[in-house]
């Protein structure tokens, strides 16, 4: 069906309802139906949890601090030729080597990080077959890669009655063309080196920017809850997932960013899974969705009774 010119598709999944809202006027109901095909084999949450182990929990963003290491991350020697080629290709695409936060071992709290560049990550991304081949040939451990710290957002809308997801586009850096959660990558700031740096303020402003840009949510329209830090066993994308709560419904949010070309390039579809507060119902529906398995584990971690 369509609502105010926006394609909308509703599907019963177990005991709950999934609603897909197209933000892209070029994607109609038929496209939504094609994307929301339930799995023949449910997601194995235990297996996904092994790939995304929970390392720590922050009660609020006030608790997030970083241990800043000196120097700059350099790719291992066996990746240098690849990095040169990738740098040349990315520059031709108009990309820049922006400063990123690289997590270093051993992983504990506060996180030990140092500055790296976006090209470093692209040249060591474990999602690339060539990178995995180099790792196997040289016995390179994941810990030597540019482990790019990202943020994820577990958004509950409609005063907790919905769990909000997105369909990540083909144009994003990682986890492409799949149902998942929205995410972002805060930049490394030179101010990190200053004693007493306001990490809470810095990361709060980053989240404010993402919520406004990606969902049309002003800072008085949502609250930031707890955060969960998760590593990636066989990859180099450690994340902190923040709980975002908004009284606005998914329908209202989709209406705010409908037709926004910037948002469409990130996620052309917003999903809302109804949440009746019954854990077994939520998980029973979740594992049937065509969702990135590690994302399903993230959602499970937030909705599981504590």
């Amino acid at each position: 069906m369509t609502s105010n010119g926006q394609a909308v598709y509703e599907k019963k999944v177990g005991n709950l309802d999934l609603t897909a809202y197209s933000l892209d006027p070029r994607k109609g109901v038929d496209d939504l139906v094609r994307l929301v095909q339930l799995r023949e084999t449910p997601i194995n949450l235990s297996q996904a949890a092994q790939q995304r182990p929970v390392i720590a929990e922050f009660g609020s963003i006030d608790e997030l601090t970083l241990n800043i290491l000196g120097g700059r991350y350099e790719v291992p020697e066996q990746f240098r030729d690849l990095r040169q080629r990738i740098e040349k290709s990315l520059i031709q695409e108009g990309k820049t080597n922006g400063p990123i936060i690289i997590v270093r071992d051993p992983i504990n709290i506060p996180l030990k990080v140092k500055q790296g560049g976006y090209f470093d990550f692209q040249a060591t991304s474990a999602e690339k077959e060539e990178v995995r081949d180099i790792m196997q040939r040289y016995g390179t451990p994941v810990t030597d890669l540019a482990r790019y710290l990202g943020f994820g957002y577990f958004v509950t809308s409609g005063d907790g009655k919905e769990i909000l997801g997105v369909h990540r586009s083909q144009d994003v850096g990682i986890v492409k063309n799949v149902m998942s959660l929205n995410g972002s990558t805060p930049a490394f700031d030179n101010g990190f080196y200053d004693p007493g740096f306001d990490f809470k303020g810095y990361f709060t402003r980053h989240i404010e920017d993402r919520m406004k840009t990606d969902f049309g949510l002003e800072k008085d329209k949502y609250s930031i809850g707890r955060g969960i830090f998760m590593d990636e066993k066989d990859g180099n994308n450690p994340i902190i997932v923040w709980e975002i709560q908004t009284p606005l419904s998914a329908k209202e949010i989709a209406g705010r960013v409908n037709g926004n070309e910037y948002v469409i390039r990130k996620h052309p579809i917003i999903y809302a899974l109804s949440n009746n507060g019954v854990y077994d119902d939520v998980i029973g529906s979740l594992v049937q969705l065509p969702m990135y398995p590690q994302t399903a584990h993230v959602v499970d971690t937030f909705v599981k009774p504590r």
Side-chain angles (χ1 to χ4, degrees):
M1 68 177 181
T2 58
S3 175
N4 296 322
Q6 183 177 40
V8 180
Y9 175 59
E10 298 176 352
K11 186 179 184 71
K12 195 76 176 177
V13 185
N15 292 329
L16 303 181
D17 299 305
L18 179 73
T19 306
Y21 300 89
S22 175
L23 308 180
D24 186 346
R26 293 155 295 205
K27 291 188 183 296
V29 174
D30 289 345
D31 297 298
L32 300 179
V33 172
R34 178 177 53 83
L35 290 171
V36 186
Q37 296 296 316
L38 301 185
R39 291 174 175 270
E40 294 183 4
T41 303
I43 294 171
N44 186 326
L45 288 174
S46 296
Q47 190 175 73
Q50 290 174 5
Q51 291 299 315
R52 263 292 173 208
V54 174
I55 304 299
E57 180 172 330
F58 304 100
S60 72
I61 200 167
D62 303 57
E63 299 176 12
L64 176 59
T65 59
L66 302 177
N67 181 358
I68 310 302
L69 306 178
R72 185 184 176 93
Y73 172 83
E74 299 287 345
V75 301
E77 184 176 357
Q78 61 268 32
F79 290 98
R80 288 178 187 169
D81 288 343
L82 176 59
R83 191 195 181 288
Q84 289 176 357
R85 284 188 279 117
I86 284 181
E87 178 173 347
K88 183 177 179 180
S89 174
L90 291 174
I91 288 175
Q92 289 175 344
E93 294 176 14
K95 303 287 178 60
T96 60
N97 190 31
I100 65 174
I101 301 172
I102 303 290
V103 177
R104 304 302 287 163
D105 262 17
I107 290 182
N108 48 37
I109 304 299
L111 293 174
K112 288 179 282 298
V113 305
K114 66 166 45 183
Q115 181 175 358
Y118 178 67
F119 296 166
D120 300 327
F121 168 71
Q122 287 295 336
T124 60
S125 173
E127 289 195 352
K128 292 184 170 71
E129 184 176 357
E130 187 172 1
V131 170
R132 294 195 299 272
D133 289 344
I134 293 173
M135 292 175 68
Q136 185 174 10
R137 192 182 322 140
Y138 289 90
T140 308
V142 169
T143 52
D144 283 357
L145 306 181
R147 302 165 82 186
Y148 189 176
L149 179 65
F151 280 2
Y153 304 105
F154 173 73
V155 181
T156 57
S157 52
D159 282 326
K161 296 176 183 176
E162 303 166 324
I163 297 171
L164 205 70
V166 300
H167 194 94
R168 291 172 64 86
S169 80
Q170 188 62 40
D171 298 327
V172 296
I174 57 172
V175 191
K176 303 170 184 282
N177 194 28
V178 69
M179 183 187 293
S180 187
L181 299 179
N182 190 42
S184 64
T185 45
F188 188 100
D189 189 282
N190 285 331
F192 287 179
Y193 296 111
D194 298 338
F197 181 81
D198 180 14
F199 287 105
K200 175 190 174 183
Y202 178 79
F203 290 119
T204 298
R205 289 189 295 274
H206 173 82
I207 294 173
E208 287 173 358
D209 177 68
R210 297 330 310 162
M211 290 300 107
K212 175 62 177 173
T213 303
D214 297 342
F215 291 129
L217 294 175
E218 298 85 1
K219 60 184 179 181
D220 63 341
K221 299 297 185 189
Y222 68 89
S223 60
I224 305 172
R226 60 188 173 125
I228 296 178
F229 175 69
M230 298 178 170
D231 197 9
E232 187 175 27
K233 182 180 178 183
D234 297 322
N236 51 326
N237 300 116
I239 57 171
I240 301 174
V241 184
W242 296 102
E243 185 176 27
I244 304 292
Q245 301 161 321
T246 176
L248 272 66
S249 69
K251 181 179 179 179
E252 291 174 293
I253 294 170
R256 287 178 170 226
V257 290
N258 186 32
N260 184 311
E261 284 295 335
Y262 174 83
V263 177
I264 290 170
R265 287 195 296 272
K266 285 194 68 178
H267 50 252
I269 298 164
I270 284 178
Y271 297 107
L273 180 67
S274 60
N275 180 15
N276 61 3
V278 179
Y279 174 73
D280 288 344
D281 285 351
V282 174
I283 296 307
S285 298
L286 185 74
V287 296
Q288 298 182 59
L289 297 176
M291 177 178 281
Y292 187 58
Q294 291 185 17
T295 301
H297 161 57
V298 170
V299 175
D300 178 42
T301 301
F302 275 95
V303 301
K304 186 177 295 181
R306 303 173 69 182

